[in-house]
Amino acid sequence: MSKPDQSVVKSAARTLEIFEYFDEARRPAHIQDVAQALGYPHSSTGALLRSLADLGYLEFSASDKTYFPSIRVSLLGHWVGDEILPLRRIQQQMREIAEQTQMTVVLGAASGGYCQYVRVIEGTTPIRYHVKAGTRRCLARSTLGSALLAMEPPDRRAQLIAEALAVWDGDEVAPRPQEVAAEVAQVAARGHAFNSGLVNAQAAMLAIPLAVNPPARPLALGVAAPKDLFRGRRPELLRIMRGALGRLGEPPRRLVAKTA
């Protein structure tokens, strides 16, 4: 199979990042606003925005030279939100958690041995944890990944651990499946996962499993910040997270410790 043209791959990635930018900004933007926020060259940003406007995915205002997503964009993924992920309700609660904690709030889902960051709301602390939506972490080397694994029944958990170790991306030697299973069982027993310095030496993350109604694929939600901000605050942060998520229509899933 021939490799994809790298310019096509780059354009596809930039297109998605542009829509994610508008999802965060929630306002019309000039070419220079998008280019500066995403670190793209002004000329290629302008060309891509004009192309998306020509295709009907962006609206262009001639009066103030700004771009904004069209109704076509909102209709594209509407069925996904209705049938798979009730993201609108989840995002509302994520914003509430972000306002109360000032920490970065991350929604994650399992994907082929990885935990993928589905949605990110950046924190507002002076020193903050930066991460992009779409980022992937090995399930066996991720705080959100541990929370996701803890939600699964033993057979499925063992399968996911095997997939995660097959894509292990740590500098150190990969742990044995039994070691990962034992750690996940502890997460299941206490109902949350916490790690300090796992990916970033100065950062920490606290994560809990997320159950929604109607049922959806397993999700986990985490708050991340410089590790000093977690000192003595874990019970408080768990209360904030569970309190917000409990208003989704069903309290977060209660876990029972099981070994795979």
Side-chain angles (χ1 to χ4, degrees):
M1 180 182 295
S2 61
K3 292 184 178 179
D5 186 305
Q6 290 304 305
S7 64
V8 175
V9 172
K10 183 181 293 186
S11 295
R14 287 182 172 180
T15 297
L16 294 174
E17 288 180 348
I18 283 172
F19 287 128
E20 288 175 349
Y21 163 79
F22 279 113
D23 189 47
E24 285 288 339
R26 300 191 169 208
R27 58 175 173 75
H30 295 91
I31 294 174
Q32 60 265 32
D33 296 331
V34 180
Q36 182 176 359
L38 300 178
Y40 299 161
H42 187 281
S43 58
S44 59
T45 302
L48 187 51
L49 290 173
R50 286 189 290 271
S51 295
L52 291 170
D54 289 342
L55 291 169
Y57 293 107
L58 294 179
E59 295 177 354
F60 176 68
S61 171
S63 60
D64 59 6
K65 311 297 184 187
T66 60
Y67 291 86
F68 193 70
S70 71
I71 189 66
R72 186 176 183 185
V73 173
S74 65
L75 293 175
L76 275 177
H78 187 69
W79 65 274
V80 177
D82 286 346
E83 309 233 352
I84 302 176
L85 300 175
L87 284 179
R88 291 191 183 278
R89 289 186 298 149
I90 295 172
Q91 288 179 140
Q92 180 180 350
Q93 304 308 329
M94 288 175 67
R95 293 188 194 100
E96 179 180 324
I97 293 168
E99 289 173 2
Q100 291 189 56
T101 65
Q102 287 79 56
M103 295 179 174
T104 294
V105 184
V106 186
L107 180 70
S111 176
Y114 293 95
C115 168
Q116 184 168 43
Y117 294 173
V118 177
R119 184 76 168 86
V120 176
I121 297 178
E122 193 170 294
T124 56
T125 53
I127 301 175
R128 65 194 68 170
Y129 182 79
H130 295 277
V131 66
K132 281 187 174 183
T135 297
R136 296 195 308 174
R137 307 282 190 216
C138 175
L139 270 174
R141 194 171 183 266
S142 162
T143 308
L144 280 169
S146 295
L148 288 166
L149 288 170
M151 300 175 73
E152 299 290 350
D155 291 347
R156 176 62 176 159
R157 187 185 298 176
Q159 178 185 342
L160 288 173
I161 289 173
E163 292 178 4
L165 294 178
V167 298
W168 177 260
D169 55 0
D171 295 331
E172 66 274 16
V173 176
R176 293 180 302 165
Q178 298 90 334
E179 294 171 342
V180 178
E183 292 178 3
V184 172
Q186 293 179 3
V187 171
R190 63 177 178 260
H192 70 271
F194 178 79
N195 283 294
S196 177
L198 184 61
V199 176
N200 183 318
Q202 303 304 316
M205 178 180 277
L206 176 67
I208 62 173
L210 170 59
V212 294
N213 189 24
R217 63 169 169 161
L219 298 168
L221 192 111
V223 292
K227 57 187 180 182
D228 289 347
L229 296 182
F230 284 89
R231 190 169 293 122
R233 293 190 63 199
R234 262 194 272 175
E236 171 202 352
L237 293 170
L238 285 170
R239 283 195 300 272
I240 291 172
M241 295 167 73
R242 287 172 173 155
L245 296 177
R247 289 188 286 280
L248 287 172
E250 178 180 334
R253 188 177 304 185
R254 299 181 67 85
L255 301 177
V256 178
K258 299 176 182 177
T259 56

